[in-house]
Amino acid sequence: MKLWGGRFTKPTNELVDEYTASIGFDQKLAQYDIQGSLAHVEMLAKCEIISQADAETIKQGLEKVAKKIEAGEAELSEINEDIHMNVEKLLTDEVGAVGGKLHTGRSRNDQVALDMRLYLRDSLVTLVDLLAALQQALLKQANANLDTILPGYTHLQRAQPVLFAHHMMAYVSMFERDIERLRDSFKRVNRSPLGAGALAGTTFPIDRHYVADKLHFDGVVENSLDAVSDRDFVVEFLSNASLVIMHLSRLSEEFVQWSSAEFKFIELDDAFCTGSSMMPQKKNPDVAELVRGKSGRVYGNLIGMLTTLKGLPIAYNKDMQEDKEGMFDTFETVKGALALFAPMVETMEVKKDNMYAAVAEDFSNATDLADYLVNKDLPFREAHAVVGQVVLHCIQENKYLLDLSLADFKGFSDYIEEDIYHVLAPETVVNARDIVGGTAKNRVEDQISNAEQRISDTQSWVKTYEEKVNVLKKASS
């Protein structure tokens, strides 16, 4: 007989049990379910809803159940549908009928919302920590390449030279925004729904704030209907995770291109590449390619969750059982990608000479020739036209700007003097962008210094959370 089966006259069809059971995936919530139950039973005793003796018996039983689940000794069954019913069944097997008092004043509806919030806040902190580690790997490459120049691209065409360190710092900035979004979303995750019951609260004189404090929540979800039906925090996580994997995918694409024979800008460490079963010479950037590919499944989880929720009336509906697998999968997918990316970035070899050679054989210094003429008081549009003619001449003669003689330059404009060769040198071009956010070396050093401080702040935030919540984990393991 199901724990809820009192009003039924026949058992559910076996196919229904199999189709509706969630224990195959929501067992990931076991430790969080027990954390919530320990806080709940303590509150029940404090509020004199159950006796202190019964609460202590239930607490000891939950601790035994937690150890059995952790050791793989607990039998989790589809018959008991989900992690909540399985834990309750294991508890009553340990302590007898008194275990049934644990569910006083709560429903699986507020219980699952609680478990998911506990799981997700841990997941957010894990991803923030991994993002900070990836930022550190990018900073290490930036610090090592403050004098490395490569072409900057627009439309995948060479545009203007930049420092490789500047390019790395662009990704540090992207991941900084990801960290900000995850940390900001934490405050919306970190609210306790427990006590909302099935949808309308409970007649028992519970203390919701006491449970919230015990579980280190910042407060409670005020409206009971909202508490059990809200999955905005899941959608927000899936959306933020989609941005993380999108940024990783963009960096992956650059690594795939840069490691090709056509670019030869970097070489990825052998530990993060694979070979071909047929072509012995091959070294494939499979990690970068697979991260790029996995962006699709993360986006799919976001769209799936939005689609599930879009037509649901308020309060809990069985459709919402679909809220977990996508959340679990997205976390594991992004976590795995970030864990791989940091060491892959840190160990890659930057081929400085090849990058510099590419800059020397293009027209990415053409804008500086135009700016040079503007500084000689030629209107920019006229300067632009002059430089366009110079570039066309170079293309026809199979030359680059620095290959031209001063006489060649003067054939296009008398404003051009001997100092043009210094102005058009890649090092000068890069360091001329001496504004906040520019690619001049001293400005990139400023970016690095500022990023290091923000990463330190992020790591302190992670450490504070871990110290606060470790007590909960120890109590339920």
Side-chain angles (χ1 to χ4, degrees), residues 35 115 138 141 149 168 198 235 255 274 378 386 409 449:
Q35 283 176 19
D115 293 358
L138 290 163
Q141 286 288 1
I149 301 175
M168 291 295 94
V235 173
F255 284 179
T274 65
L378 192 67
V386 169
F409 277 121
S449 177

Side-chain angles (χ1 to χ4, degrees), residues 45-287:
K46 169 190 168 291
C47 295
E48 299 182 348
I49 296 170
I50 65 174
S51 70
Q52 192 65 50
D54 284 348
E56 188 60 32
T57 298
I58 291 170
K59 179 182 176 183
Q60 292 175 4
L62 285 170
E63 290 168 350
K64 291 178 181 177
V65 169
K67 289 176 181 176
K68 285 186 176 180
I69 291 176
E70 186 177 8
E73 298 171 357
E75 184 180 348
L76 303 175
S77 170
E78 282 187 356
I79 298 299
N80 294 315
E81 300 177 30
D82 54 39
I83 190 59
H84 324 297
M85 303 293 271
N86 270 274
V87 167
E88 186 171 333
K89 177 64 167 60
L90 292 167
L91 175 64
T92 55
D93 288 346
E94 286 287 342
V95 301
V98 69
K101 294 186 177 183
L102 172 62
H103 208 56
T104 305
R106 72 177 183 181
S107 162
R108 284 185 293 175
N109 294 358
D110 59 347
Q111 192 178 354
V112 69
L114 175 77
D115 293 358
M116 291 175 68
R117 287 172 181 269
L118 288 170
Y119 170 90
L120 193 50
R121 74 180 187 183
D122 271 6
S123 301
L124 293 177
V125 174
T126 296
L127 294 183
V128 166
D129 196 29
L130 287 169
L131 280 163
L134 175 53
Q135 285 183 306
Q136 286 182 310
L138 290 163
L139 283 179
K140 184 175 180 180
Q141 286 288 1
N143 273 312
N145 289 282
L146 279 164
D147 295 309
T148 301
I149 301 175
L150 81 160
Y153 294 83
T154 65
H155 307 276
L156 205 54
Q157 304 295 315
R158 294 178 191 175
Q160 293 177 317
V162 297
L163 291 181
F164 183 75
H166 190 59
H167 200 114
M168 291 295 94
M169 292 307 298
Y171 284 98
V172 171
S173 296
M174 290 184 201
F175 296 128
E176 176 67 27
R177 294 194 296 275
D178 291 328
I179 288 172
E180 288 174 357
R181 277 185 285 266
L182 292 171
R183 287 183 60 175
D184 185 69
S185 70
F186 184 91
K187 64 188 179 187
R188 286 176 286 282
V189 173
N190 205 35
R191 295 273 168 181
S192 173
L194 202 65
L199 76 163
T202 176
T203 59
F204 293 99
I206 63 172
D207 187 339
R208 294 188 65 199
H209 289 284
Y210 180 84
V211 174
D213 289 342
K214 290 292 294 183
L215 294 173
H216 299 293
F217 283 108
D218 294 329
V220 301
V221 181
E222 289 189 355
N223 183 282
S224 62
L225 282 167
D226 186 46
V228 296
S229 64
D230 170 37
R231 291 299 183 270
D232 291 1
F233 64 96
V234 178
V235 173
E236 187 173 4
F237 165 68
L238 296 174
S239 175
N240 291 338
S242 294
L243 285 168
V244 174
I245 201 77
M246 180 268 285
H247 292 150
L248 289 172
S249 182
R250 294 182 73 178
L251 185 52
S252 294
E253 172 65 12
E254 303 225 76
F255 284 179
V256 170
Q257 289 180 7
W258 289 352
S259 62
S260 69
E262 284 68 30
F263 277 80
K264 297 181 184 177
F265 282 0
I266 64 169
E267 182 167 355
L268 298 173
D269 191 88
D270 285 359
F272 299 96
C273 297
T274 65
S276 165
S277 62
M278 181 179 184
M279 297 167 284
Q281 83 280 9
K282 293 294 296 296
K283 180 177 177 180
N284 300 325
D286 277 14
V287 171

Side-chain angles (χ1 to χ4, degrees), residues 309-380:
L309 293 172
K310 75 175 184 66
L312 296 186
I314 203 166
Y316 187 82
N317 300 271
K318 191 65 171 178
D319 316 48
M320 292 166 71
Q321 183 171 293
E322 291 295 300
D323 58 5
K324 299 173 198 63
E325 287 182 280
M327 180 180 73
F328 296 152
D329 180 69
T330 290
F331 169 65
E332 294 296 341
T333 299
V334 176
K335 175 187 172 185
L338 288 171
L340 281 167
F341 241 90
M344 184 168 67
V345 168
E346 188 171 350
T347 57
M348 74 178 179
E349 178 189 353
V350 178
K351 296 185 177 295
K352 304 179 183 183
D353 292 343
N354 291 347
M355 291 181 177
Y356 193 84
V359 171
E361 296 179 352
D362 64 19
F363 295 99
S364 59
N365 51 1
T367 303
D368 290 75
L369 177 55
D371 291 346
Y372 174 88
L373 292 171
V374 169
N375 284 323
K376 299 283 188 174
D377 207 30
L378 192 67
F380 180 78

Side-chain angles (χ1 to χ4, degrees), residues 400-419:
Y400 297 103
L401 294 179
L402 287 171
D403 296 330
L404 297 180
S405 68
L406 185 58
D408 291 332
F409 277 121
K410 284 189 171 293
F412 293 96
S413 174
D414 287 333
Y415 286 121
I416 302 176
E417 303 293 343
E418 186 71 35
D419 61 347

